[in-house]
Amino acid sequence: MRVYIIGAGPGDPKLLTLRGAELIASCPVVLYTGSLVPKDVIAHARPDATVMDSSGMTLEQIVEVIVAARDAEQDVARVHTGDPMIFGSTAEQMRRLMELGIGYEIIPGVSSFTAAAAALGRELTLPELSQTVILTRAEGRTSMPAGEKLEDLAKHHATLALFLSITLLKDVVRDLTPSYGADCPVAIVHKASWPDQVIVTGTLADIADKAKAAKLNSTSMVLVGRVLTATEFANSKLYDPEFTHRFRKGEPAVMNSGARHVD
């Protein structure tokens, strides 16, 4: 018996990996987070599968379902939204599985932060502008560890991908503005890749008001950084004709000295 912790992706059922779809289709027990995982993803389940929504369950209730499946020698597809290793609340489940001696395997999925960047058509890392993406959240009921509050992370001026922060935008603006500046671009992608996806763009100065006007209060990725609007940035070295790497030998620049060519 094995538990497969599967990333369902950000919403579009076609962004589920082939491996994830195969396991959902083969496991006799499917346990999914119904508050976020689309029903079309679970439609892959076989007709005789036991399919259960975990959105109203506690950790112990989830474990009870898995233990019952173990006793019946049935594999479990544990389906989470996005990628299960980022803000997935999977670590506590894996800890319990290890305590019980139940084997598990992780199937990665497309994260909401990459789906949001794709929806915007923006690369989050631009040469000489931002080469770092910080995945974090605003501090709410879950406290942040020392050194990881937004005002601390803002000092890096990196691109920020803020999970679980849409209802805390005023705090986000307050904490980021001193380091990023009020004119720093912000983009909110609500339900990235879903049919009812909504994109709101602005700056730290006006994004809270724009989000309120759009009535965004859940299931939204907040991206912050100059990369969101930059057009003047350096090209990467990868395709530079002078740059050598193991697949291509660079050619020296041809200098135009202005000298005449004489046959």
Side-chain angles (χ1 to χ4, degrees):
M1 180 270 180
R2 199 168 187 82
V3 176
Y4 296 96
I5 301 173
I6 301 168
D12 184 345
K14 293 182 179 179
L15 293 179
L16 176 67
T17 65
L18 292 174
R19 175 70 168 150
E22 289 171 355
L23 288 168
I24 292 171
S26 66
C27 287
V29 177
V30 178
L31 187 59
Y32 73 105
T33 52
S35 58
L36 294 170
V37 175
K39 293 290 178 60
D40 287 346
V41 169
I42 306 307
H44 291 281
R46 63 196 224 188
D48 64 338
T50 299
V51 180
M52 303 180 69
D53 180 356
S54 67
S55 59
M57 295 181 181
T58 64
L59 174 61
E60 287 309 313
Q61 289 171 331
I62 291 169
V63 172
E64 286 174 6
V65 172
I66 293 173
V67 169
R70 178 202 61 188
D71 295 344
E73 298 184 352
Q74 295 179 321
D75 289 338
V76 177
R78 178 67 179 111
V79 187
H80 283 264
T81 187
D83 183 277
M85 298 296 99
I86 304 175
F87 294 106
S89 299
T90 52
E92 61 209 53
Q93 297 175 60
M94 292 185 287
R95 179 168 59 191
R96 292 289 286 120
L97 294 178
M98 287 187 285
E99 291 170 352
L100 293 166
I102 297 175
Y104 63 88
E105 180 180 336
I106 300 161
I107 313 302
V110 176
S111 175
S112 57
F113 88 93
T114 54
L120 294 168
R122 304 298 303 190
E123 185 174 351
L124 301 182
T125 53
L126 295 179
E128 301 179 15
L129 182 59
S130 178
Q131 294 287 277
T132 302
V133 180
I134 297 177
L135 311 181
T136 189
R137 61 173 296 173
E139 185 171 45
R141 288 183 293 179
T142 300
S143 61
M144 298 298 286
E148 292 190 23
K149 293 181 183 293
L150 283 184
E151 57 263 38
D152 298 320
L153 299 176
K155 297 173 184 176
H156 297 287
H157 297 277
T159 304
L160 296 179
L162 304 180
F163 292 73
L164 309 169
S165 301
I166 187 63
T167 61
L168 299 167
L169 277 182
K170 290 184 178 180
D171 296 338
V172 169
V173 170
R174 178 198 64 210
D175 294 341
L176 297 184
T177 300
S179 292
Y180 282 82
D183 65 335
C184 183
V186 182
I188 300 171
V189 182
H190 172 71
K191 300 185 75 171
S193 83
W194 291 64
D196 54 345
Q197 170 184 285
V198 175
I199 296 175
V200 175
T201 59
T203 65
L204 285 173
D206 60 17
I207 196 64
D209 289 337
K210 287 186 173 183
K212 182 178 180 180
K215 298 181 180 180
L216 302 184
N217 54 25
S218 65
T219 326
S220 299
M221 173 58 57
V222 181
L223 299 174
V224 182
R226 301 287 172 182
V227 297
L228 297 175
T229 57
T231 56
E232 298 296 325
F233 53 87
N235 289 340
S236 70
K237 295 294 185 184
L238 182 60
Y239 303 115
D240 188 325
E242 298 178 45
F243 187 67
T244 295
H245 53 72
R246 68 190 183 100
F247 296 105
R248 175 172 55 79
K249 181 176 176 57
E251 298 293 339
V254 177
M255 301 299 295
N256 181 7
S257 63
R260 291 183 301 143
H261 178 76
V262 179
D263 293 326

